[in-house]
């Protein structure tokens, strides 16, 4: 249970961090101090925070698990998620760590350099993860991903599946440099087509059929299936022996930031609402199409960021 005995339907275990952006005339040289303008904090967190916020705005009872520092960036994550109805009881705070931050420097030509900080979830212990999952053991769906140290993410999925029988989804992005091993406690690996080609040992421009790629990944890691987003081409899904593709919804994209996290959240929401996986992925595809017509991810500015359920339903009514 979450705060005030509220039943949790989806657990999200992944990172929270805060991005900062500044503009420079040119990218700095080694040892150089230079001026920057338009320095700002983006309303965009790590993958755990973004998936949680997207779920919360769809009205899904969501509990977040992660670790942050006692600092303004941790406070921001708690605020952003709580405002969207996410339970942050198990957003552990730790004086020994700093909440992850990233700095993006953009020059006059639009080129950028990114310095990405470590995830504070590196300090999350197995006991803390277990206690949090056990406290929310009524959840139907467990989502994790590799925005945090991947072995800790997989530990959580194993607990959720083997001890509490939850449906487990893992976004394997970024792909780890070490072997992932047997993932039979995962129901679904979730990734994009570029990452799928890497896992399959294929070149970036490979035209290997999607179904063959997903079957190769499933057979390698022993999961129930694989969910793959394909950008403008929609998505492809393998569930056991059943394979299908979901056609994209044509829209004019203005911002693709957070679309993949929103898609994952929408799949989980559909499953909680009683849709089968095919129906859930079809619904999620339309959700993601709507999201890319809106700027930002966690911002609450009107017409921007992850949408509320009523907004999504209005969009889908106009795009049956």
């Amino acid at each position: 249970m979450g705060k005030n005995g509220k039943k949790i339907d989806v657990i999200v275990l992944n990172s929270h961090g805060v991005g900062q952006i500044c503009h420079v005339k040119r990218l700095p040289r080694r040892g150089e101090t230079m001026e920057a303008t338009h320095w700002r904090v983006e309303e965009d967190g790590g993958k755990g925070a973004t998936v949680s916020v997207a779920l919360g705005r769809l009205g899904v009872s969501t509990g977040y698990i992660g670790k942050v520092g006692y600092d303004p960036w941790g406070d921001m994550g708690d605020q952003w998620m709580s405002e969207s109805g996410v339970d942050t009881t198990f957003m552990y705070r730790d004086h020994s760590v700093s909440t992850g931050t990233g700095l993006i420097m953009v020059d006059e030509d639009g080129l950028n350099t990114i310095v990405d900080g470590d995830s504070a979830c590196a300090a999350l212990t197995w006991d803390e993860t277990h206690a949090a999952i056990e406290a929310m053991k009524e959840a139907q769906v467990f989502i994790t991903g590799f925005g945090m140290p991947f072995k800790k993410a997989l530990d959580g999925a194993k607990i959720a599946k083997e001890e509490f029988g939850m449906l487990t989804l893992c976004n394997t992005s970024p792909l780890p440099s070490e072997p992932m091993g047997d993932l039979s406690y995962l129901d679904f690996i979730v990734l994009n087509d570029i990452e799928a080609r890497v896992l399959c040992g294929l070149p970036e421009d490979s035209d290997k059929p999607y179904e063959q790629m997903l079957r190769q990944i499933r057979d390698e890691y022993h999961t129930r299936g694989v969910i793959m987003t394909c950008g403008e081409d929609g998505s492809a899904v393998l569930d056991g022996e059943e394979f299908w593709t979901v056609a994209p919804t044509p829209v004019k994209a203005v911002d693709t930031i957070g679309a993949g996290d929103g898609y994952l959240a929408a799949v989980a929401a559909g499953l909680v609402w009683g849709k089968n996986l095919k129906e859930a992925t079809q619904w999620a595809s339309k959700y993601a199409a709507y999201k890319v017509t809106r700027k930002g991810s966690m911002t609450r500015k009107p017409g921007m960021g992850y949408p509320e359920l009523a907004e999504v339903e209005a969009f889908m009514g106009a795009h049956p």
Side-chain angles (χ1 to χ4, degrees), residues 7 10 37 47 51 69 121 146 168 182-184 218 248 250 275 288:
K7 178 179 178 291
V10 179
T37 59
K47 286 180 173 291
V51 170
C121 285
F146 296 167
T168 51
D182 179 84
L183 302 179
S184 54
R218 190 272 313 273
K275 298 178 185 290

Side-chain angles (χ1 to χ4, degrees), residues 48-121:
T50 49
V51 170
S52 297
V53 166
L55 278 162
R57 292 184 188 173
L58 289 173
V60 176
S61 180
T62 303
Y64 171 77
I65 303 173
K67 180 163 281 192
V68 297
Y70 282 95
D71 50 38
W73 316 128
D75 295 342
M76 284 180 182
D78 195 348
Q79 177 185 339
W80 290 340
M81 285 189 270
S82 296
E83 285 177 347
S84 294
V86 177
D87 190 299
T88 59
T89 300
F90 297 101
M91 174 186 257
Y92 294 102
R93 308 297 287 261
D94 190 330
H95 285 289
S96 70
V97 300
S98 298
T99 306
T101 58
L103 173 61
I104 304 170
M105 291 178 283
V106 184
D107 71 12
E108 287 185 335
D109 296 323
L111 298 175
N112 65 68
T113 292
I114 302 174
V115 181
D116 198 7
D118 293 337
S119 168
C121 285

Side-chain angles (χ1 to χ4, degrees), residues 27 192 205 224 239 298 309:
L27 298 179
N192 64 33
D205 59 354
R224 171 177 151 189
D239 182 6
M298 298 206 292
L309 180 58

Side-chain angles (χ1 to χ4, degrees), residues 133-180:
I133 296 172
E134 185 173 30
M136 299 183 283
K137 61 185 177 183
E138 72 281 0
Q140 301 174 49
V141 179
F142 179 89
I143 299 173
T144 192
F146 296 167
M148 61 185 290
F150 84 98
K151 292 181 180 178
K152 291 179 182 284
L154 294 178
D155 281 345
K158 193 168 188 179
I159 294 166
K161 171 55 68 178
E162 295 183 352
E163 294 193 36
F164 303 106
M166 299 176 195
L167 186 142
T168 51
L169 303 165
C170 181
N171 178 13
T172 57
S173 176
L175 293 171
S177 56
E178 300 175 49
M180 292 187 287

Side-chain angles (χ1 to χ4, degrees), residues 27-46:
L27 298 179
R29 299 172 183 174
R30 186 167 62 176
E32 181 180 13
T33 300
M34 64 186 306
E35 292 182 336
T37 59
H38 300 102
W39 198 299
R40 63 193 184 276
V41 173
E42 284 290 289
E43 292 182 275
D44 183 35

Side-chain angles (χ1 to χ4, degrees), residues 58 249 266 273 275 280 282-290 309-320:
L58 289 173
T249 300
W273 296 331
K275 298 178 185 290
Q282 291 168 340
W283 195 89
S285 182
K286 289 188 176 183
Y287 170 95
Y290 180 42
L309 180 58
E311 296 173 305
V312 179
E313 290 176 336
F315 171 82
M316 292 188 181
H319 298 79

